[in-house]
Amino acid sequence: MRRFLVPVLLALIQALAVRAGEETNRAGGGSAEELRAVLELDSIQAGRVQTLYRDADGELQQLRTGARQRNGAVTIEQLVGWQTGLRQRVKDVLHPNQLSLYEAWLEKKRRLGEEYDKSLFGVPNATELKLKLGFAPDTLEKVHGIADQAVVDIRRKMSEMRAAGQSVSSIGDAVNELRKEAVKKMGEAASSAEKRKFTDYLKTWVRIPAEKLSRPEGDRLDRIMKQLELADGAVTDRIQSLVSAVLWHQEENATLRRGLGKELLMTLLQKRPESEVWTAIYEYGTLFDIHNRRIKALREDLKALLPTKQIAKLVAEGVLE
């Protein structure tokens, strides 16, 4: 468990602009309102959780004040202890039947937090397969396991081959084989109906971003590239690849926003459990985060390659900020 806490807590230490209340919400597994809906807390329990969170805010501030007085920073050990203590106090508020719901909610968020790694290594993630293809829960559980193992295998293979002095192209080929094997296993884990949808999904998934753009965005890409007036062919290809990737990630985010809006509206209209609202928010939010992090990296690459005048043009076009 500790290895999953450390990245989150390191980010927490560095997030100086984030209010303590927001950090407490994350550490506790969600805001008091979120836990009320997901765990079906009664009014007394909800009030006690709010009190626990206020107390936890004060504890975190005391940790930071003490660290500043020592001219240091709050340690990982202190934050782990603070979070563990908060979660235990939340559990003490819950009825026995709510404890499993709380553990399942914490586990769901942990797994959502790992979805970026799947995308970074070019492995389809279960959250996207759920939202885009409607995979069943039992299939998703299998896909999660396959994707988790694929990331472990890819990291191990890359480390071994780098240590052995293998070339970048050789490492890329080896990683590609591991990806293909993972995708094959995912298809085998799907039902017949899901397999057909997965096959169609892969036809688009394997394309480069420029080929996945809608016609309006493809026309926009052409217009942007003409405005940049690039002379070097190799540079042009690289810039076009980066710009098209930004446009594609932006387009995916727009599609996700529409999907989330529809999902939340249907949840409210059909008077489904409030927990489904929070599930949708976090699942769609996970995919938003993946695309936004990729956009940020792509933008940094573009800024490093282009002179100021062309950067200004991309800002005007909404490609850069």
Side-chain angles (χ1 to χ4, degrees):
M1 178 62 71
R2 178 184 169 86
R3 69 187 179 91
F4 298 120
L5 292 175
V6 169
V8 175
L9 295 173
L10 279 172
L12 189 152
I13 293 175
Q14 297 165 354
L16 299 179
V18 179
R19 298 194 313 274
E22 294 174 347
E23 294 166 347
T24 299
N25 289 344
R26 288 199 296 272
S31 68
E33 172 60 21
E34 178 184 330
L35 294 186
R36 182 200 64 75
V38 172
L39 307 181
E40 299 181 354
L41 304 180
D42 58 36
S43 58
I44 294 176
Q45 288 176 306
R48 290 179 64 187
V49 169
Q50 289 178 334
T51 299
L52 289 177
Y53 276 22
R54 285 196 296 270
D55 292 344
D57 285 347
E59 292 170 5
L60 183 57
Q61 285 301 111
Q62 288 177 1
L63 288 174
R64 285 183 166 151
T65 298
R68 283 196 298 270
Q69 290 173 346
R70 298 189 303 273
N71 294 319
V74 182
T75 66
I76 290 294
E77 288 72 19
Q78 287 176 309
L79 286 170
V80 168
W82 171 74
Q83 176 171 283
T84 301
L86 173 58
R87 290 186 176 182
Q88 183 56 55
R89 290 193 292 275
V90 170
K91 290 178 182 179
D92 292 340
V93 170
L94 303 180
H95 301 313
N97 64 307
Q98 294 169 322
L99 287 171
S100 60
L101 292 175
Y102 184 51
E103 292 290 356
W105 189 242
L106 294 176
E107 175 64 9
K108 181 176 184 62
K109 285 193 165 184
R110 183 191 69 78
R111 295 184 102 173
L112 287 174
E114 295 178 341
E115 294 289 64
Y116 178 74
D117 285 349
K118 316 294 192 313
S119 298
L120 188 64
F121 287 110
V123 178
N125 66 71
T127 302
E128 184 167 57
L129 297 180
K130 175 186 177 181
L131 298 181
K132 285 192 172 184
L133 307 184
F135 271 22
D138 58 334
T139 305
L140 289 172
E141 190 63 29
K142 296 173 186 175
V143 168
H144 264 301
I146 293 167
D148 287 344
Q149 188 59 51
V151 170
V152 171
D153 292 343
I154 288 172
R155 281 181 167 148
R156 182 187 300 119
K157 178 62 71 174
M158 292 175 66
S159 177
E160 290 172 351
M161 294 184 74
R162 284 172 179 162
Q166 296 287 323
S167 66
V168 173
S169 60
S170 296
I171 295 174
D173 290 341
V175 168
N176 239 1
E177 289 303 313
L178 291 172
R179 286 196 196 105
K180 290 178 182 178
E181 184 63 25
V183 170
K184 179 182 177 182
K185 290 179 180 178
M186 288 178 181
E188 292 170 347
S191 66
S192 297
E194 291 168 339
K195 201 184 303 291
R196 287 192 293 272
K197 290 188 287 187
F198 188 56
T199 300
D200 289 339
Y201 164 83
L202 291 176
K203 291 176 183 177
T204 300
W205 183 73
V206 298
R207 295 176 183 172
I208 61 173
E211 295 173 344
K212 293 191 278 189
L213 293 174
S214 65
R215 176 165 292 184
E217 288 301 290
D219 293 340
R220 182 183 173 200
L221 173 62
D222 291 340
R223 186 181 69 250
I224 290 171
M225 294 306 298
K226 288 177 182 177
Q227 289 179 8
L228 292 179
E229 300 175 331
L230 299 170
D232 187 313
V235 172
T236 299
D237 290 344
R238 176 60 176 156
I239 298 301
Q240 179 166 317
S241 175
L242 292 171
V243 172
S244 63
V246 171
L247 296 181
W248 178 74
H249 284 292
Q250 289 177 332
E251 195 166 23
E252 284 291 287
N253 269 347
T255 300
L256 288 169
R257 280 192 291 273
R258 292 191 294 271
L260 175 58
K262 180 180 178 181
E263 181 70 23
L264 294 179
L265 179 61
M266 294 305 296
T267 299
L268 296 174
L269 290 177
Q270 295 175 1
K271 297 182 179 180
R272 279 143 51 183
E274 289 183 48
S275 59
E276 294 189 19
V277 170
W278 291 100
T279 296
I281 288 172
Y282 282 108
E283 288 179 342
Y284 278 91
T286 294
L287 299 189
F288 283 133
D289 180 60
I290 289 171
H291 290 297
N292 288 334
R293 288 167 74 173
R294 292 299 301 132
I295 288 171
K296 181 179 179 180
L298 291 162
R299 283 173 168 166
E300 291 301 316
D301 288 344
L302 281 168
K303 289 176 182 177
L305 288 170
L306 292 171
T308 301
K309 181 178 178 180
Q310 290 167 323
I311 287 174
K313 290 180 180 180
L314 291 182
V315 170
E317 284 287 344
V319 176
L320 295 180
E321 291 183 340

